[in-house]
Structures are given as structure tokens and as C-alpha cells.
Amino acid sequence: MAGRLPPAHRAAATPAARTRRPDVADGDALWDMERSLRRRGFASVAGADEAGRGACAGPLVAAACVLPAGRRGRVPGLADSKLLTAAARDRVYDEVVDRAVAWSVVVIPVSELDARGMHVTNLEALRRAVTALDPPADYVLTDGFAVPGLGVPSLAVWKGDRVAACVAAASVLAKVTRDRIMLDLHERFPEYDFAVHKGYTTEAHGAALERHGPCPEHRSRFVNVVRARDAHAVRELQLTGPGGMVDDGGMCTVSGEPR
């Protein structure tokens, strides 16, 4: 049922996604879509989003969240996670966890991303996050693209993390969780500076890849990672020679014995 709504429900979701009521401020409009769906009988509206889709290192993290109706669901400072500072995201994360009716986070390791591919794994991660909600949702809003197989009505919302509160909440859960994982990976692999770029492709990250080659947390399906891996392998071969031994010059003798 993902991506398309029965005729009775299309009017519920579409106007909220595309328009703003003149009597509602932008901050309040973030909750319009959920209000509209609740008026039509969907009491538990979940948002789902992921973080790390475009990174060349580190895991993919998907999250789902159901916010309560009314004043308690008005999370202070809630917005698309990409628009918030790290400190603001941490504050909003704590508020979401405290207020949510249900929330879940799913972490997909690099090995699974490499084995199955990004889009297939991304869809599966979002399905897992929605399925893990307890109590379950009876309607799901996803950010950007449809997610089939959710088992309940759903709608893909363009820039959903900027127009639907539950999607924004899911984006914060996913982003904060992933950033914390990348800080831990920085401790294991400090040469890549994951604490700064969080595994995304930057000039500094590219330079570190060229210098050190990829680590186990780099995604092998990314062109820049493959290029760095191959270049590093060539350099290693040049340094060690075909036999795998370092060529340190001719043999010399000490007291008549070979060294």
C-alpha cells in the first residue's frame, strides 16, 4: 500500500504536503499533516527516515517515530536534523525519546550494505524500523520515496523531514544515533577523522583515503573507496615486491655469516 492512497485518503495527506494555511505559522504547520490524518481516523501516524545513505563510510541508520497528539507532541526545537546544530540535535533527540508514543532505530552495518546494495538495504532498514514500533503505527509517512511492504497505508512525502513532525523526529533519531557511532569509529580509526565528516566524502576524507587506503568501515561499492583501495594495493606491491618481502638491498655478511 506504499506510495498510493485510496481516494478517500488522498485529500487527507496531499493538501498538507503542498500548501500552508494562511492562519498557521510555519512552525505550527509542521504538525498539519498528522492532524489531518488523525481527523480521518489514523490515530497513530509514524514518520520514517534514514541517515548515512550518501556516506562512503560507516553504517546506515534508519528510524521510525510516532509522536503523541496535542501539546505533548510539540517537541521544542524540532526540525529537519540537517538544519540543526549538533547541540540542538542532541536536545531534540532527548525530547523525542522522552515524548514519543513509540520509536525505534535500526543500524545496518557496512557488510550488509556491501552485500545487498544501498537502495535495497535502505528500504529494508526502513521497514524494520517501522515494524519495530510498539505500539504499531496505522499510517506511515516516509521521507522522499515510497517504502513497499509496510503492511499499513503510507505516503512518500517530498522533503518530509521539513514538512511532517514525525518524519523530522525520525530524522533526528537516525542522525544523532549515526553521529555517535561515527564518533566511536573515530576512536578506532583516527587517521580518517570520522568525528568531523561522519564518513561523507570531503576533500580531507579523500586525502586520508588516498594516504591510508580504506578501513573495514568504508563501503566497497563507492567509486572513491574502490579507487583508493586499488591505488593503495599498487603502492604496497611496489614497496614490498612480488614476493611480499621488503627489498632492503643486497645481502651483507657479519663475521662471515649471512645476515
Side-chain angles (χ1 to χ4, degrees):
M1 302 177 71
R4 294 184 62 83
L5 298 178
H9 304 314
R10 286 179 190 147
T14 305
R18 295 180 181 175
T19 63
R20 291 286 181 267
R21 298 205 316 267
D23 59 329
V24 177
D26 284 346
D28 193 55
L30 191 63
W31 284 264
D32 270 0
M33 190 173 290
E34 288 162 76
R35 277 195 299 258
S36 179
L37 288 166
R38 288 190 181 105
R39 285 197 297 267
R40 285 156 177 82
F42 297 103
S44 179
V45 181
D49 199 4
E50 85 286 325
R53 180 181 173 91
C56 67
L60 176 75
V61 177
C65 183
V66 178
L67 294 174
R71 185 181 298 275
R72 182 161 176 78
R74 300 302 183 91
V75 178
L78 179 62
D80 172 9
S81 63
K82 296 183 291 296
L83 303 179
L84 300 173
T85 65
R89 278 196 300 268
D90 284 341
R91 289 194 297 270
V92 173
Y93 176 95
D94 290 341
E95 290 283 354
V96 169
V97 168
D98 179 60
R99 293 166 181 253
V101 173
W103 65 277
S104 67
V105 172
V106 172
V107 179
I108 306 297
V110 168
S111 58
E112 189 171 342
L113 295 172
D114 286 345
R116 303 183 63 192
M118 176 56 67
H119 188 62
V120 170
T121 312
N122 194 15
L123 292 177
E124 179 60 25
L126 291 166
R127 280 192 291 267
R128 290 185 201 175
V130 171
T131 302
L133 292 172
D134 185 18
D138 50 24
Y139 200 100
V140 180
L141 301 173
T142 58
D143 183 36
F145 52 85
V147 179
L150 293 176
V152 295
S154 63
L155 180 70
V157 183
W158 178 248
K159 294 191 180 298
D161 46 10
R162 300 193 183 191
V163 299
C166 57
V167 181
S171 78
V172 170
L173 292 174
K175 172 67 173 169
V176 171
T177 299
R178 188 176 186 278
D179 281 358
R180 291 173 180 177
I181 291 172
M182 297 310 296
L183 290 176
D184 289 340
L185 290 179
H186 176 79
E187 298 299 317
R188 292 173 53 195
F189 306 103
E191 62 270 27
Y192 300 100
D193 214 9
F194 288 143
V196 174
H197 52 69
K198 306 301 189 298
Y200 289 90
T201 301
T202 65
E203 185 175 347
H205 190 185
L209 263 173
E210 291 181 9
R211 187 179 311 115
H212 304 289
C215 75
E217 291 297 328
H218 281 97
R219 302 176 184 177
S220 65
R221 288 176 177 255
F222 276 66
V223 172
N224 61 330
V225 174
V226 173
R227 185 169 53 241
R229 180 197 64 199
D230 292 346
H232 194 68
V234 169
R235 285 198 301 272
E236 288 294 309
L237 185 61
Q238 291 170 342
L239 288 173
T240 62
M245 295 179 61
V246 174
D247 183 2
D248 57 357
M251 299 287 284
C252 65
T253 59
V254 177
S255 301
E257 296 293 330
R259 187 176 60 169

